[in-house]
Amino acid sequence: MSRRMTALLWRGTGKMQIEETDVPTIGPKEILARPLYSTICGSDRHAYYHGLFAFNPPFSLGHEFCAEIVELGSEVDEDVQGNKLRRGDLIVTEPSVFCGKCYYCRRSEYIQCQSYLWLGSDRTAGGCFSDYMKVDSRVTYKMLDGMTKMQGALVEPGAVGVHAVRRSNVVLGRSVLIMGGGPIGLFALMAAKAAGAEKILLSEVSKFRSERAARLGAQIVIDPAREDIVRKVMDDTKGLGVDIVIDAAGDTKAVKQGIAAAKKHGVYVRIAISAGESSVNFTDIMVKELTVIGSQGYSFWPYLDMSTDFYQTMLMLKDGRFKADDIVTQEYDFENWKEAFEMSGDTEKAIKVAIKARNF
Amino acid sequence: MSRRMTALLWRGTGKMQIEETDVPTIGPKEILARPLYSTICGSDRHAYYHGLFAFNPPFSLGHEFCAEIVELGSEVDEDVQGNKLRRGDLIVTEPSVFCGKCYYCRRSEYIQCQSYLWLGSDRTAGGCFSDYMKVDSRVTYKMLDGMTKMQGALVEPGAVGVHAVRRSNVVLGRSVLIMGGGPIGLFALMAAKAAGAEKILLSEVSKFRSERAARLGAQIVIDPAREDIVRKVMDDTKGLGVDIVIDAAGDTKAVKQGIAAAKKHGVYVRIAISAGESSVNFTDIMVKELTVIGSQGYSFWPYLDMSTDFYQTMLMLKDGRFKADDIVTQEYDFENWKEAFEMSGDTEKAIKVAIKARNF
Amino acid sequence: MSRRMTALLWRGTGKMQIEETDVPTIGPKEILARPLYSTICGSDRHAYYHGLFAFNPPFSLGHEFCAEIVELGSEVDEDVQGNKLRRGDLIVTEPSVFCGKCYYCRRSEYIQCQSYLWLGSDRTAGGCFSDYMKVDSRVTYKMLDGMTKMQGALVEPGAVGVHAVRRSNVVLGRSVLIMGGGPIGLFALMAAKAAGAEKILLSEVSKFRSERAARLGAQIVIDPAREDIVRKVMDDTKGLGVDIVIDAAGDTKAVKQGIAAAKKHGVYVRIAISAGESSVNFTDIMVKELTVIGSQGYSFWPYLDMSTDFYQTMLMLKDGRFKADDIVTQEYDFENWKEAFEMSGDTEKAIKVAIKARNF
Amino acid sequence: MSRRMTALLWRGTGKMQIEETDVPTIGPKEILARPLYSTICGSDRHAYYHGLFAFNPPFSLGHEFCAEIVELGSEVDEDVQGNKLRRGDLIVTEPSVFCGKCYYCRRSEYIQCQSYLWLGSDRTAGGCFSDYMKVDSRVTYKMLDGMTKMQGALVEPGAVGVHAVRRSNVVLGRSVLIMGGGPIGLFALMAAKAAGAEKILLSEVSKFRSERAARLGAQIVIDPAREDIVRKVMDDTKGLGVDIVIDAAGDTKAVKQGIAAAKKHGVYVRIAISAGESSVNFTDIMVKELTVIGSQGYSFWPYLDMSTDFYQTMLMLKDGRFKADDIVTQEYDFENWKEAFEMSGDTEKAIKVAIKARNF
């Protein structure tokens, strides 16, 4: 007889409530984990309020979490870094569900798996707003000694910032414009700073987030509602433009501005998701010999000679290059999930909102 | 008193005729040259028929040419490769007019000069449809022994293909889809083949150009008027897509297809010019982690450890990796320039149309 | 009761003979295979004549082979390319025995496994000079339709050439000096040509191998016993040196020449094995800003967006870019292994010597 | 009649004294400058004590300096960054004397000029230990507002550190071992830190320099006289080795240790000069697939999309990522040059020793 647990189940747009459901059963390479501390992603909000990205209810949303190991699958032995895994260990996990066999999985590019799902997006892949969840040991990391649970939950969104900075090739001496001061934009900002960016500009409408960006290292913060981003960038770069634009805003109309703000031979990195199309003259990309790069999630072994994005993020959260306290702005108990979801959409008050597990 | 010459002068949309005009005077680093054999670029056609790219008449169009040195400026000594230059030498020249002082010129990226002009686009920079023209010695190459005049005229468009293949990083074993079978598409095709591309597909509506593409090495030629490019590419790549798409078509609507035909982590290179905007969901670029690259003209020293695009093209024209005879489909005498321009637009008869100088 | 088979067992320096021994038993991810056609590597010769690289007898040498599947482990399903595997299929296999768990294996860099062995180098990892052998399905490829058994045996050494050319970044337009005209040098030559190398020089003492190199595409062949390699290279490159040196010779004294023959900012790639030390002033590397690169075996997924070295090699053997008939110079029956080994050391008669299996 | 000036003239090994000599005359692209503050390079010491690198006396040594413009050549207009140059401006200059015409100069790789000299190494190219000197405007930079003269003098050695870090590709998350804690090693250390290196180890015999290294950011300092570098590195990296070794020590025997301390697929960068040869088994480089990179001086435009090494260094000196006060340990008046040279060799007291000009 299957064990039962309490979970916040999504049943369709606007329909989510705390219910009883079965504890998931795990396969040989999986781990049964108890989420302790989670944060809300914009995609969770989209699913709840608009039904996007989630089609096969019921299941729990949520994929940013720190969890405790409850049970190990028969073939689980070590984490990604080669650390032994044991019951009670605190872990973080890439929320990737992948086949392990396709063209991309063979290259360890799990996030490009031809049948990719993420945790918290399907009935077979429940998320962290739940008492228990199953995760894949092949993408699981034991948390570093001294990391807090809050830091653990931020590894996933932080890794998105690390990945974008690596994809962009932000290195010593480059100038960067980050579009958007939400959690991902701010992580990209902190990662760019850690990577030696010479000058960092950031554009953001919210006053609250703009101030946070300035505190975290943006030398110039542009309010696109009141200022022309391109003109401001050009004024500050002798008319050349920035070396790298990282678009974490996802405004379909802002793509043109991002492309215009980049230097000839510059780079525009797309990290945000947006539903609609953007109208762009590709001759502009051709004439300036721009490079437009897509940055999706994080990579497992994208770089033969580097730490994974998740591991690198753990190091940076632990030593303060990533400031968790400046990202998590509110914490809610599990029961108050509804207030948490509501707060998470208030860009003048919140950056990232956390939900503590029932038995946190 | 200034010397006079005969030139085909452009005076505005649809207005072009053979006239007498002044022979240009040269500066210390310039060369007075006599064009011998020229070919017509799509941009020449656009200027003549639609007035695009040319605003300051009168002047001669034309920037694809082989010429003979008539007179050397006081500071002209050697060509780009360090060869001595003398009266009577056959030369080819990058048709770039650049300041030599701006951010990009200091990096020898002349084609990105902040006050860039090309020969044949301005009253101060007359083109090759003329008895004489002035060229910049700093981007001039003595033609290789054994090269024909026809090959000389094709160095400029050939270098565009070489540049695109280098920007794309076409290397041993990669699959390539080339969109468009015009002169640039065909040069890109031949360059991709020379660079070790494993499989080359090409899409083209014209039956004449399709056959030429097949003869020059395209393993699969797709007619986008009758077939779905993306489906055809997927069928041929086990559903993965090609490693590299080189868009030499410039169809604003085809950009989406190019992006869809590229593999995850693939590359879409934009080489064509088009006047209008394309509607694209940049989330597609993000999700597949594509790289979109602009390729403009040719580079002078883009690669510390490589031949320039122009020099590489000369080598390839000379030894037959670039087949000049398959590109130039018609030759006209200077006096018959009007027929030449008309023929150059007939995609079922012509690839590249040549005009021989008066005293050829 | 274990099955028995006939094998050519190595028992120490100079001690090798045909004996009866146990057929290996396979694990869940392994395949029992019947080698059909094998070739002799220099390391096999070293083991037999000098005892190098082999310490734990008895076992069969040999790791260049085409084989037939006899039995599949319980978890074996597909080959590296996703093709179904069945009894009777012809296969080639990377002769890598790896832990699958260490830092490098997690990155699919099996050849850098921290407990790496190759097939034919240990009692637990018998080679192909035997009736049966076990291979790892995770590095096994179904042979392409139309490939011959001889081509199959050459995939392993051919992949060493492909890997070196990829590591060297031989691309369109670069000049290459290959040191050594043995099998690896000749594969590197053919791979460099396929990759678009502009000019290829090769140095080799043997007259027989020199002629073969010229036939396979070396434009200039240098005899280092009679000519000064560096002077010859400089004469042919206007005193600049070549872009890339690929050292497949392994002469400890020749390293200096290789470094001297490379252009400033050039590349020297080390592919050969040699027992001794080389005396080199590293200030020479510093002053010329050279890059010295080690190239070891082949990579599995070194390049996110490329074919594996083994697969690329199969394509090239099949379509004739790699000319198997010019590499295999002699074939021997299994019983005549001794003559085969002797012939394999005669650089004036042999390139690569083959041994056909008993029931070939 | 030529103007006269006071200079510290080198006339051969051990022979150096203050004398009267002619003020140099400048060409159209040159600048007559008055050095104000200089520092002593190891190569100056070598020239004085051992006669190395300097053959054509008499002339002044010295190439690390901040100077004031006295007179501009007829064609001098702007500095490298496009700033107007005027009498009295404070400048720093790459001490490169180059032909401007050879293969490398055409690529703006002046430091690889085929007839390269550096300032302070030849009768035609006097150095900064002198009242006046001539410099090339094409490699001259106006000092940034707010920079001190001491910072100006350190731009040259600082740029060597920046260049090495860029050549090494030290980026976010990599581990680095720096061999040698002299001025160049310490600049490499500070540059690696600014570039996001995760962990930095440094080996140095001098206690004084070791402490300085620890203060400037080395997490682990190894004394190679008492500890085994390789073992210490392996202990600290789970037996893997560091990603990058930067050898600023120049000990001919230490090369082997550097190669052994690098991870498989790691990088060993050679920045130091040493007179003798090192004995190395290149098979070690091959087996580990290492990359050995030479790093010489600094590059002018090595990177199309980056600041030059000199400019980047100015930014870092100005904002404190490069701590000038921790590098310059002693200052001497011009008259006391002999004490300055002596002090510069005392590794237990000095890092970098400065000489102030007569009319400082």
Side-chain angles (χ1 to χ4, degrees):
Chain A
M1 204 192 85
S2 64
R3 289 174 290 176
R4 302 286 284 174
M5 66 174 181
T6 297
L8 175 61
L9 289 184
W10 180 87
R11 292 188 169 274
T13 311
K15 292 184 218 156
M16 200 155 67
Q17 61 188 23
I18 295 178
E19 301 184 37
E20 292 295 298
T21 187
D22 287 353
V23 170
T25 49
I26 58 170
K29 289 180 178 156
E30 290 176 325
I31 295 170
L32 185 68
R34 194 164 64 89
L36 300 175
Y37 190 101
S38 304
T39 46
I40 300 175
C41 175
S43 65
D44 297 322
R45 283 181 50 75
H46 276 287
Y48 176 45
Y49 290 110
H50 310 296
L52 288 176
F53 316 122
F55 306 101
N56 186 27
F59 56 85
S60 299
L61 299 169
H63 56 269
E64 305 177 350
F65 59 94
C66 144
E68 183 186 357
I69 296 181
V70 173
E71 195 183 319
L72 298 164
S74 58
E75 294 179 15
V76 177
D77 185 17
E78 299 180 343
D79 80 346
V80 173
Q81 297 292 117
N83 299 305
K84 287 274 167 250
L85 290 175
R86 292 187 187 81
R87 275 191 61 151
D89 283 345
L90 291 189
I91 55 168
V92 297
T93 297
E94 283 191 27
S96 301
V97 182
F98 51 95
C99 75
K101 293 188 152 196
C102 73
Y103 181 89
Y104 297 98
C105 282
R106 283 176 205 272
R107 281 155 181 79
S108 303
E109 265 298 299
Y110 302 137
I111 212 140
Q112 297 290 2
C113 171
Q114 292 182 290
S115 52
Y116 184 81
L117 283 180
W118 71 86
L119 293 179
S121 75
D122 190 87
R123 195 184 296 183
T124 63
C128 58
F129 301 141
S130 178
D131 280 358
Y132 296 96
M133 67 190 299
K134 63 178 181 183
V135 302
D136 192 323
S137 66
R138 292 170 296 179
V139 286
T140 290
Y141 298 76
K142 204 174 151 176
M143 270 174 56
L144 301 178
D145 288 345
M147 278 179 73
T148 66
K149 295 186 183 75
M150 181 197 283
Q151 288 172 340
L154 292 181
V155 173
E156 200 273 350
V160 173
V162 166
H163 187 58
V165 157
R166 285 172 159 182
R167 290 277 296 164
S168 316
N169 203 15
V170 176
V171 293
L172 182 64
R174 296 221 167 134
S175 56
V176 183
L177 166 67
I178 293 167
M179 299 172 81
I184 299 302
L186 294 179
F187 274 119
L189 161 64
M190 292 184 281
K193 198 178 153 196
E198 201 62 33
K199 179 179 290 191
I200 308 179
L201 304 88
L202 187 143
S203 63
E204 170 59 50
V205 178
S206 148
K207 197 156 177 297
F208 174 70
R209 292 181 167 190
S210 292
E211 286 167 5
R212 195 60 54 107
R215 190 204 296 175
L216 292 173
Q219 287 126 304
I220 295 177
V221 182
I222 307 169
D223 177 352
R226 296 184 306 126
E227 299 170 289
D228 180 325
I229 293 180
V230 180
R231 178 167 310 165
K232 202 81 168 57
V233 166
M234 290 303 164
D235 286 350
D236 197 59
T237 56
K238 298 186 180 178
L240 292 171
V242 289
D243 296 324
I244 295 163
V245 175
I246 298 181
D247 184 351
D251 176 352
T252 54
K253 287 186 184 154
V255 175
K256 261 189 214 178
Q257 294 171 297
I259 284 172
K263 199 189 241 177
K264 291 177 179 193
H265 276 132
V267 173
Y268 164 87
V269 176
R270 174 62 175 222
I271 182 176
I273 295 175
S274 62
E277 298 195 334
S278 299
S279 220
V280 169
N281 190 336
F282 275 65
T283 305
D284 296 342
I285 293 171
M286 173 266 189
V287 166
K288 285 168 72 175
E289 293 214 307
L290 291 189
T291 301
V292 172
I293 293 174
S295 181
Q296 146 84 319
Y298 17 76
S299 287
F300 195 65
W301 305 122
Y303 331 95
L304 265 183
D305 47 358
M306 283 201 193
S307 52
T308 63
D309 293 326
F310 253 58
Y311 188 68
Q312 183 63 32
T313 303
M314 286 205 291
L315 294 171
M316 293 169 73
L317 281 160
K318 182 178 171 180
D319 72 10
R321 282 173 291 173
F322 275 172
K323 297 186 195 315
D325 289 340
D326 280 317
I327 298 298
V328 174
T329 42
Q330 289 86 12
E331 285 182 348
Y332 291 86
D333 288 331
F334 189 72
E335 292 70 27
N336 302 324
W337 65 267
K338 198 158 192 169
E339 290 165 54
F341 266 71
E342 272 160 25
M343 175 56 81
S344 74
D346 186 340
T347 61
E348 283 300 352
K349 286 191 187 148
I351 308 287
K352 180 67 90 181
V353 173
I355 294 180
K356 290 184 284 184
R358 290 206 307 149
N359 33 20
F360 172 74
Chain B
M1 202 191 85
S2 64
R3 289 173 290 176
R4 302 286 284 174
M5 68 174 180
T6 297
L8 175 60
L9 290 184
W10 180 86
R11 292 188 169 274
T13 313
K15 292 185 216 154
M16 198 155 69
Q17 61 188 23
I18 295 178
E19 301 185 35
E20 292 296 299
T21 188
D22 287 353
V23 170
T25 48
I26 58 171
K29 289 181 178 157
E30 290 177 324
I31 294 169
L32 185 69
R34 194 163 65 88
L36 300 175
Y37 190 100
S38 304
T39 47
I40 301 174
C41 176
S43 64
D44 297 322
R45 283 182 51 74
H46 276 286
Y48 176 45
Y49 290 110
H50 311 295
L52 288 177
F53 316 121
F55 306 100
N56 185 25
F59 56 84
S60 298
L61 298 170
H63 56 268
E64 304 176 351
F65 59 93
C66 145
E68 184 186 357
I69 294 180
V70 174
E71 197 183 318
L72 298 165
S74 58
E75 293 179 15
V76 177
D77 184 19
E78 300 180 343
D79 81 346
V80 173
Q81 297 292 118
N83 299 305
K84 287 273 167 252
L85 290 175
R86 292 189 186 78
R87 275 192 61 153
D89 282 346
L90 291 189
I91 55 168
V92 297
T93 296
E94 283 191 28
S96 301
V97 183
F98 51 95
C99 75
K101 294 188 153 196
C102 72
Y103 181 89
Y104 297 98
C105 282
R106 282 176 205 272
R107 281 155 180 79
S108 303
E109 265 297 300
Y110 302 137
I111 212 139
Q112 297 291 2
C113 170
Q114 291 182 288
S115 52
Y116 185 81
L117 283 180
W118 71 86
L119 294 179
S121 75
D122 190 87
R123 196 184 293 183
T124 62
C128 59
F129 301 141
S130 178
D131 280 358
Y132 297 96
M133 67 191 299
K134 62 178 181 184
V135 302
D136 191 324
S137 66
R138 293 170 296 179
V139 285
T140 290
Y141 299 76
K142 205 174 151 176
M143 271 174 57
L144 300 177
D145 289 343
M147 276 179 74
T148 67
K149 295 187 182 72
M150 180 196 283
Q151 288 172 340
L154 293 182
V155 173
E156 198 274 350
V160 173
V162 165
H163 187 59
V165 157
R166 285 173 159 181
R167 291 275 298 164
S168 317
N169 204 15
V170 176
V171 294
L172 182 65
R174 297 223 166 132
S175 55
V176 183
L177 164 68
I178 293 165
M179 299 173 80
I184 299 302
L186 295 178
F187 274 118
L189 162 65
M190 292 185 281
K193 199 178 154 196
E198 201 63 31
K199 179 178 291 190
I200 308 180
L201 303 88
L202 187 143
S203 63
E204 170 59 51
V205 179
S206 149
K207 197 158 176 297
F208 173 71
R209 292 180 166 190
S210 293
E211 286 167 6
R212 195 59 53 108
R215 192 205 295 174
L216 292 173
Q219 286 126 305
I220 295 177
V221 181
I222 306 168
D223 178 352
R226 295 184 306 124
E227 299 170 289
D228 180 326
I229 293 180
V230 180
R231 178 167 309 166
K232 202 81 165 62
V233 166
M234 291 302 164
D235 286 351
D236 199 59
T237 56
K238 298 186 178 178
L240 291 171
V242 289
D243 297 323
I244 295 163
V245 175
I246 298 180
D247 183 351
D251 177 351
T252 54
K253 287 186 184 153
V255 175
K256 263 189 214 177
Q257 295 172 297
I259 284 171
K263 198 189 242 176
K264 289 175 180 194
H265 277 132
V267 173
Y268 164 86
V269 177
R270 174 63 175 222
I271 182 176
I273 295 174
S274 61
E277 299 194 335
S278 298
S279 222
V280 169
N281 189 336
F282 275 65
T283 306
D284 295 344
I285 293 170
M286 173 265 189
V287 167
K288 287 169 70 175
E289 295 214 305
L290 291 189
T291 301
V292 172
I293 292 174
S295 181
Q296 147 85 317
Y298 16 77
S299 287
F300 196 65
W301 304 122
Y303 332 95
L304 264 183
D305 48 358
M306 283 202 192
S307 52
T308 63
D309 294 326
F310 252 59
Y311 189 68
Q312 183 63 31
T313 304
M314 287 204 291
L315 294 171
M316 293 170 72
L317 281 160
K318 182 177 171 180
D319 73 10
R321 282 173 289 174
F322 274 171
K323 296 186 195 314
D325 289 340
D326 280 316
I327 298 297
V328 173
T329 43
Q330 290 86 12
E331 285 181 348
Y332 291 86
D333 288 331
F334 188 73
E335 292 70 26
N336 302 324
W337 65 268
K338 198 158 194 171
E339 291 166 54
F341 267 70
E342 272 158 25
M343 176 55 80
S344 74
D346 186 341
T347 61
E348 282 300 353
K349 287 191 186 147
I351 308 285
K352 181 65 92 181
V353 173
I355 293 180
K356 290 184 285 186
R358 290 207 305 150
N359 33 19
F360 173 74
Chain C
M1 204 191 83
S2 65
R3 290 173 289 175
R4 301 286 285 172
M5 67 172 181
T6 297
L8 175 61
L9 289 184
W10 179 86
R11 291 188 170 274
T13 311
K15 291 185 216 154
M16 199 154 69
Q17 62 188 22
I18 294 178
E19 300 185 38
E20 292 295 298
T21 186
D22 287 353
V23 170
T25 48
I26 58 172
K29 289 181 177 158
E30 290 177 327
I31 294 169
L32 185 68
R34 194 164 65 87
L36 299 175
Y37 190 100
S38 303
T39 48
I40 300 174
C41 176
S43 65
D44 297 322
R45 285 182 49 77
H46 275 287
Y48 176 44
Y49 290 110
H50 311 295
L52 288 176
F53 315 121
F55 307 98
N56 186 27
F59 56 85
S60 299
L61 298 170
H63 57 269
E64 305 176 351
F65 60 93
C66 145
E68 185 186 355
I69 294 180
V70 174
E71 196 182 319
L72 297 165
S74 58
E75 293 179 13
V76 177
D77 183 19
E78 300 181 342
D79 80 347
V80 173
Q81 297 293 118
N83 299 304
K84 288 273 166 250
L85 290 175
R86 294 191 185 76
R87 276 192 59 154
D89 283 344
L90 291 189
I91 55 168
V92 297
T93 297
E94 283 191 28
S96 301
V97 182
F98 51 96
C99 75
K101 293 188 153 198
C102 72
Y103 181 89
Y104 298 99
C105 282
R106 282 178 204 271
R107 281 158 180 76
S108 303
E109 267 297 298
Y110 302 137
I111 212 139
Q112 298 290 1
C113 171
Q114 291 182 289
S115 53
Y116 185 81
L117 282 180
W118 72 85
L119 294 179
S121 75
D122 190 87
R123 195 185 294 182
T124 63
C128 59
F129 301 142
S130 179
D131 280 359
Y132 296 97
M133 67 190 301
K134 62 177 180 184
V135 302
D136 192 322
S137 66
R138 292 170 297 180
V139 286
T140 290
Y141 298 76
K142 205 174 150 176
M143 271 174 55
L144 301 177
D145 289 344
M147 278 180 72
T148 67
K149 294 188 183 71
M150 179 195 284
Q151 289 172 341
L154 292 181
V155 173
E156 199 273 348
V160 173
V162 165
H163 188 59
V165 157
R166 284 173 159 181
R167 291 276 297 164
S168 318
N169 203 14
V170 176
V171 293
L172 182 64
R174 297 220 166 135
S175 56
V176 183
L177 165 68
I178 293 165
M179 300 174 79
I184 299 301
L186 294 178
F187 274 118
L189 162 65
M190 292 184 281
K193 198 177 154 196
E198 201 63 31
K199 179 178 291 190
I200 308 179
L201 304 87
L202 187 144
S203 63
E204 170 59 51
V205 179
S206 149
K207 196 156 177 297
F208 174 70
R209 292 180 165 191
S210 293
E211 286 167 6
R212 194 60 53 109
R215 192 206 293 175
L216 291 174
Q219 286 125 304
I220 295 177
V221 182
I222 307 168
D223 178 353
R226 295 185 305 125
E227 299 171 288
D228 180 326
I229 293 179
V230 181
R231 178 168 309 168
K232 202 80 165 63
V233 166
M234 290 303 165
D235 285 352
D236 198 58
T237 56
K238 298 186 178 178
L240 291 171
V242 288
D243 296 323
I244 295 163
V245 175
I246 298 180
D247 183 350
D251 177 351
T252 54
K253 287 185 184 155
V255 175
K256 262 188 214 179
Q257 294 172 298
I259 283 172
K263 197 188 242 176
K264 290 176 180 192
H265 277 131
V267 173
Y268 164 86
V269 176
R270 174 62 175 223
I271 181 174
I273 295 174
S274 62
E277 298 195 335
S278 298
S279 223
V280 169
N281 190 336
F282 275 64
T283 306
D284 295 344
I285 293 171
M286 174 265 191
V287 166
K288 286 168 71 174
E289 294 214 306
L290 291 189
T291 301
V292 172
I293 293 174
S295 181
Q296 147 85 318
Y298 17 78
S299 286
F300 195 66
W301 305 123
Y303 331 96
L304 263 184
D305 49 356
M306 281 201 193
S307 51
T308 64
D309 294 326
F310 252 59
Y311 188 69
Q312 183 63 31
T313 303
M314 288 205 290
L315 294 172
M316 293 170 72
L317 281 160
K318 183 178 171 179
D319 73 10
R321 282 172 290 173
F322 275 172
K323 297 186 195 313
D325 290 339
D326 281 316
I327 298 297
V328 173
T329 42
Q330 290 85 11
E331 285 181 348
Y332 291 86
D333 288 332
F334 188 73
E335 292 70 27
N336 302 324
W337 64 268
K338 199 159 194 168
E339 291 167 52
F341 266 71
E342 273 159 24
M343 175 56 80
S344 74
D346 187 339
T347 61
E348 282 300 353
K349 284 191 186 149
I351 308 285
K352 181 65 91 180
V353 173
I355 294 180
K356 289 183 286 186
R358 292 207 304 149
N359 33 22
F360 172 75
Chain D
M1 205 190 83
S2 64
R3 289 173 291 174
R4 301 287 283 174
M5 67 174 181
T6 297
L8 174 62
L9 289 185
W10 179 86
R11 292 188 170 274
T13 311
K15 292 186 215 152
M16 200 155 68
Q17 61 188 24
I18 293 179
E19 300 185 37
E20 291 295 299
T21 186
D22 287 352
V23 170
T25 49
I26 58 171
K29 288 179 179 159
E30 289 177 326
I31 294 169
L32 185 68
R34 194 164 65 87
L36 299 175
Y37 190 99
S38 304
T39 47
I40 300 176
C41 176
S43 64
D44 297 321
R45 284 182 49 77
H46 276 287
Y48 176 44
Y49 291 110
H50 310 295
L52 287 176
F53 315 121
F55 306 100
N56 186 28
F59 56 86
S60 299
L61 298 170
H63 57 269
E64 304 176 352
F65 59 94
C66 144
E68 185 187 356
I69 295 181
V70 174
E71 194 183 318
L72 298 164
S74 58
E75 293 179 15
V76 177
D77 184 18
E78 299 181 343
D79 81 345
V80 173
Q81 297 292 118
N83 299 305
K84 287 274 166 250
L85 290 175
R86 294 189 185 79
R87 275 191 60 153
D89 282 345
L90 291 189
I91 55 168
V92 297
T93 297
E94 283 190 28
S96 301
V97 183
F98 51 96
C99 75
K101 292 188 153 196
C102 73
Y103 182 88
Y104 297 99
C105 282
R106 282 176 204 274
R107 281 158 181 77
S108 304
E109 266 298 297
Y110 302 137
I111 212 140
Q112 298 291 1
C113 170
Q114 291 181 291
S115 52
Y116 184 82
L117 282 180
W118 72 86
L119 293 180
S121 75
D122 190 86
R123 193 184 296 183
T124 63
C128 58
F129 301 141
S130 178
D131 280 358
Y132 297 97
M133 68 191 299
K134 62 178 180 184
V135 302
D136 192 322
S137 66
R138 293 171 296 180
V139 286
T140 290
Y141 298 74
K142 203 174 152 177
M143 272 173 56
L144 300 178
D145 289 343
M147 279 180 73
T148 66
K149 295 188 182 72
M150 180 196 283
Q151 288 172 342
L154 292 182
V155 173
E156 199 272 349
V160 173
V162 166
H163 187 59
V165 157
R166 285 173 158 181
R167 291 277 296 165
S168 317
N169 202 16
V170 176
V171 293
L172 182 64
R174 296 219 166 135
S175 56
V176 182
L177 165 68
I178 293 166
M179 299 173 81
I184 299 301
L186 293 180
F187 274 118
L189 161 64
M190 292 184 281
K193 198 177 153 197
E198 200 62 32
K199 180 179 291 191
I200 308 179
L201 303 88
L202 187 143
S203 63
E204 169 60 50
V205 179
S206 149
K207 196 155 176 298
F208 173 70
R209 292 180 167 193
S210 292
E211 286 167 4
R212 195 58 54 109
R215 190 204 296 175
L216 293 174
Q219 286 125 304
I220 296 177
V221 182
I222 307 168
D223 177 354
R226 296 185 305 128
E227 299 170 289
D228 180 325
I229 293 179
V230 180
R231 178 167 310 167
K232 202 78 166 59
V233 166
M234 290 302 166
D235 285 351
D236 198 60
T237 56
K238 298 186 179 180
L240 291 170
V242 288
D243 297 323
I244 295 163
V245 175
I246 298 181
D247 184 351
D251 176 351
T252 54
K253 285 182 184 157
V255 175
K256 261 188 214 179
Q257 294 172 297
I259 284 171
K263 198 188 243 177
K264 292 177 179 191
H265 277 132
V267 173
Y268 164 87
V269 176
R270 174 62 174 223
I271 182 174
I273 295 175
S274 62
E277 298 194 336
S278 299
S279 222
V280 169
N281 190 336
F282 275 64
T283 305
D284 295 343
I285 293 170
M286 173 266 191
V287 167
K288 285 168 71 174
E289 294 214 305
L290 291 189
T291 301
V292 173
I293 293 174
S295 181
Q296 148 83 319
Y298 17 77
S299 286
F300 196 66
W301 304 122
Y303 332 95
L304 263 184
D305 48 358
M306 281 200 195
S307 52
T308 63
D309 293 325
F310 252 59
Y311 188 68
Q312 183 63 31
T313 303
M314 287 204 290
L315 293 172
M316 292 168 73
L317 281 160
K318 182 178 171 181
D319 72 10
R321 282 173 290 173
F322 275 172
K323 297 185 194 316
D325 289 339
D326 280 316
I327 298 299
V328 173
T329 41
Q330 290 86 12
E331 285 182 348
Y332 291 86
D333 288 331
F334 188 74
E335 292 69 28
N336 302 324
W337 65 268
K338 200 159 193 167
E339 291 165 54
F341 266 71
E342 273 158 26
M343 175 55 80
S344 75
D346 186 340
T347 61
E348 283 299 353
K349 286 192 187 146
I351 309 284
K352 180 66 89 181
V353 173
I355 293 180
K356 289 184 285 184
R358 291 207 304 149
N359 31 21
F360 172 74

